Amino acid sequence: MQPGESCPLDEAYCRRTIAIDSQLAIEDAHASTEIPDTAIETFGLGAYIGAKVIVGGEVYGTACFADTEPREDPFVDAERFFVELIARLGGQAIERRSYERELAQHEERLNEQEEIYRAVIEANFDSIFRFDTDGMFTYASESVRDLLGYSPAELIGQPVTITHPDAQTSERTLKHRSQILSGEPAEAQDLPLKKKSGDIIYTDIRGVPIYDGSVPESERSEDDIVGIQILIRDATERRQREGLISVINRVLRHNVRNEMSVIRTWAEVLAEDMDAEQATKATAIRAAATRLLDLTESAQQIEQNREISPELELTDIIPLVNRIVTECETRYPDVS
């Protein structure tokens, strides 16, 4: 046969090689009962020796040597060992190539997942940091250059306090770090950070624990935490926007309060000078003005309460979702 040609398996010497437990060694094919006449006619081989190639515990093929002329002498142990060695080395080479191919595909999938993960993170947060349990930088994303002015290499190995503008910030972050190292995520708004230039920026952060990857998720405890990952967003624009809204609210409240005070005062005066029917209408105006004044006071209290605690709090949404689902099922029983 020529390279690249094939034949039915039933007509191949290799069929018998695969079928038996040991090697197939034929010194004279015409005198052997192991090889069918169709195989002899197809290949015209007089002598043959072959062994199975095993890949991953399964038969992959055969390694064989053949000659058109029969052998006068039987195959010796050294020849048999050589063929077996070639078959085993071939199987190992194929296994290694398959492993390398699977490894490359796995790495490609990991790279793709990492790119997706990075894209999602960068779409929602400005930078990513990782620390060890002692608060030393072990990783910083490239975007840290724009956020803090440092290169990632300048931060790795440095304590987290290098970005803290004061002791109050260090104390605040230490509290969050203790919370994360106990296995709970932590969030904070308006955390000040010091840039390489010395300027101060305000950030929103979310931190989560990093566990030892060799420990199954169901068995993890705080003793298996090996680091902390922090996601940071520049809060400058949000603070400016909220500050502007706050100023507008205060101006509106001030103007509304002044105008409503005038309206209420005049309504009181008119109620005293009018007849009973007209006085009733003036009294209604006064009551409406009073309600609006009370509303401005409530708005002021809400803003004050918001400014007291800028910390984000975790909310369990499961009971809320269950309640809404129950209400929907009750109101619309036929809807899936």
Side-chain angles (χ1 to χ4, degrees), residues 274-289:
M274 292 179 175
D275 56 36
E277 183 179 353
Q278 299 296 326
T280 300
K281 296 178 180 178
T283 301
I285 294 174
R286 178 181 180 279

Side-chain angles (χ1 to χ4, degrees), residues 233-252:
R233 181 190 295 116
D234 188 344
T236 302
E237 291 186 1
R238 178 185 60 77
R239 285 170 55 85
Q240 291 174 346
R241 183 172 61 253
E242 291 181 352
L244 178 60
I245 293 174
S246 179
V247 170
I248 293 175
N249 286 339
R250 290 172 185 174
V251 171
L252 289 176

Side-chain angles (χ1 to χ4, degrees), residues 28-307:
D28 186 349
H30 295 281
S32 174
T33 59
E34 297 284 349
I35 305 299
D37 293 339
T38 54
I40 298 175
E41 293 174 0
T42 300
F43 295 97
L45 298 178
Y48 172 95
I49 183 170
K52 290 187 287 291
V53 175
I54 306 297
V55 177
E58 301 291 336
V59 176
Y60 182 89
T62 63
C64 61
F65 295 87
D67 193 352
T68 57
E69 298 296 330
R71 282 175 61 101
E72 296 182 358
D73 300 323
F75 289 104
V76 299
D77 290 343
E79 292 170 324
R80 292 174 178 272
F81 175 78
F82 177 75
V83 173
E84 185 69 29
L85 178 63
I86 292 296
R88 291 189 180 185
L89 290 177
Q92 292 174 1
I94 294 171
E95 281 187 342
R96 183 171 62 253
R97 186 177 61 186
S98 299
Y99 172 76
E100 291 173 349
R101 182 169 57 248
E102 292 175 359
L103 181 61
Q105 293 173 347
H106 179 65
E107 290 178 349
E108 183 177 347
R109 289 194 299 268
L110 286 179
N111 291 336
E112 181 179 354
Q113 292 172 357
E114 184 178 350
E115 288 300 321
I116 294 174
Y117 171 75
R118 182 182 297 111
V120 171
I121 293 299
E122 290 181 353
N124 291 278
F125 291 88
D126 291 334
S127 295
I128 306 171
F129 297 123
R130 294 194 191 106
F131 314 107
D132 60 21
T133 54
D134 295 325
M136 307 293 286
F137 281 99
T138 59
Y139 171 83
S141 62
E142 280 294 330
S143 53
V144 71
R145 298 177 186 271
D146 296 328
L147 183 69
L148 297 178
Y150 291 98
S151 69
E154 288 178 302
L155 289 179
I156 294 175
Q158 294 292 327
V160 65
T161 52
I162 192 176
T163 62
H164 294 172
D166 49 45
Q168 184 178 3
T169 301
S170 297
E171 183 177 347
R172 184 179 172 187
T173 54
L174 181 60
K175 176 183 176 182
H176 291 313
R177 190 176 75 185
S178 299
Q179 178 179 337
I180 296 171
L181 290 179
S182 68
E184 297 292 332
E187 293 183 348
Q189 275 190 318
D190 300 329
L191 181 74
L193 294 180
K194 183 174 64 175
K195 302 177 67 172
K196 185 177 180 180
S197 63
D199 296 333
I200 306 298
I201 63 169
Y202 288 86
T203 61
D204 296 335
I205 71 168
R206 174 173 172 79
V208 294
I210 301 174
Y211 290 90
D212 184 344
S214 63
V215 180
E217 186 173 353
S218 59
E219 301 177 8
R220 290 174 179 173
S221 69
E222 59 184 70
D223 295 331
D224 302 311
I225 296 175
V226 296
I228 295 173
Q229 178 161 288
I230 301 292
L231 308 177
I232 296 184
R233 181 190 295 116
D234 188 344
T236 302
E237 291 186 1
R238 178 185 60 77
R239 285 170 55 85
Q240 291 174 346
R241 183 172 61 253
E242 291 181 352
L244 178 60
I245 293 174
S246 179
V247 170
I248 293 175
N249 286 339
R250 290 172 185 174
V251 171
L252 289 176
R253 285 201 311 270
H254 176 75
N255 292 342
V256 170
R257 186 165 54 246
N258 289 346
E259 297 298 332
M260 285 298 103
S261 296
V262 172
I263 292 173
R264 185 172 66 173
T265 299
W266 279 108
E268 292 174 351
V269 172
L270 292 174
E272 294 175 357
D273 296 339
M274 292 179 175
D275 56 36
E277 183 179 353
Q278 299 296 326
T280 300
K281 296 178 180 178
T283 301
I285 294 174
R286 178 181 180 279
T290 299
R291 287 195 299 271
L292 286 173
L293 286 171
D294 291 341
L295 186 59
T296 62
E297 293 298 327
S298 297
Q300 183 178 13
Q301 291 178 2
I302 290 173
E303 184 174 10
Q304 289 175 345
N305 291 335
R306 183 186 66 82
E307 293 176 347

